[in-house]
Amino acid sequence: MLKLSFLDLVPVTDTGTIAQSLANAADLARHAEAPGYARYWVAEHHGMAGIASAATSVVLAHIGQATSTIRIGAGGIMLPNHAPMVIAEQFGTLEALFPGRVDLGLGRAPGTDMNTARAMRRHMDSADRFPDDVAELLGYLGDPDPQANVRAYPGEGTHVPVWILGSSPFGAQM
């Protein structure tokens, strides 16, 4: 059976508000769930007046609350914008709230213009650490390691499925 999914930027219309866009996203997710769509993913973009999905994990909590069966996820979290532990805690929390329904897509692009990226990242070389950050994140979401100096709560042991966005040769190789 063919599985269909949605990828939403949560657009803000010229005459709409962010609140209305978030309500529309929840409504669209409910409508996608009814006929059996497999996934509803939200993309991370920053500094864009027409996009309301910057706080991706918060938007996913809103979508998860509005639905009951469809998988929810990020398509994707731009990992160089975040510390791996923070993402593990956010997606571990989502998995606790919506068990068995959470996916985590990861990318290494900034998801914004360079000025906004500088404001978010503080260190522009963070994209170069993407493979190490992915490994660190997987460790936080994996089986508990009693010897670990740092552990993600929530997150540890959730095994949230992680996907790598292959929009470039680098991502495809990863």
Side-chain angles (χ1 to χ4, degrees):
M1 181 174 140
L2 180 66
K3 291 184 178 181
L4 298 175
S5 301
F6 271 86
L7 176 62
D8 194 358
L9 295 174
V10 191
V12 180
T13 65
D14 290 341
T15 59
T17 65
I18 292 171
Q20 183 59 52
S21 296
L22 293 168
N24 290 346
D27 190 50
L28 182 58
R30 280 190 294 272
H31 280 87
E33 181 176 56
Y37 277 74
R39 289 182 171 86
Y40 192 94
W41 281 15
V42 175
E44 174 186 348
H45 287 280
H46 298 277
M48 301 172 131
I51 306 293
S53 58
T56 310
S57 60
V58 177
V59 175
L60 289 173
H62 176 63
I63 299 299
Q65 189 63 39
T67 59
S68 59
T69 59
I70 197 167
R71 293 190 68 81
I72 58 172
I77 293 293
M78 298 300 109
L79 192 54
N81 294 340
H82 311 279
M85 182 170 177
V86 171
I87 297 304
E89 290 172 338
Q90 289 175 1
F91 279 78
T93 300
L94 288 168
E95 180 62 26
L97 292 169
F98 312 108
R101 295 178 52 206
V102 178
D103 295 319
L104 174 54
L106 299 173
R108 68 184 277 269
T112 189
D113 63 89
M114 291 314 294
N115 288 330
T116 305
R118 278 188 200 91
M120 292 180 60
R121 292 185 178 187
R122 301 293 186 212
H123 303 285
M124 292 309 293
D125 65 343
S126 56
D128 297 335
R129 295 192 305 262
F130 183 68
D132 294 331
D133 286 349
V134 170
E136 182 181 346
L137 174 60
L138 291 172
Y140 290 136
L141 295 172
D143 290 331
D145 178 2
Q147 304 302 315
N149 292 328
V150 177
R151 296 165 72 180
Y153 299 112
E156 183 177 84
T158 60
H159 300 280
V160 170
V162 174
W163 302 72
I164 302 296
L165 304 182
S167 59
S168 70
F170 184 87
Q173 288 173 341
M174 191 70 195

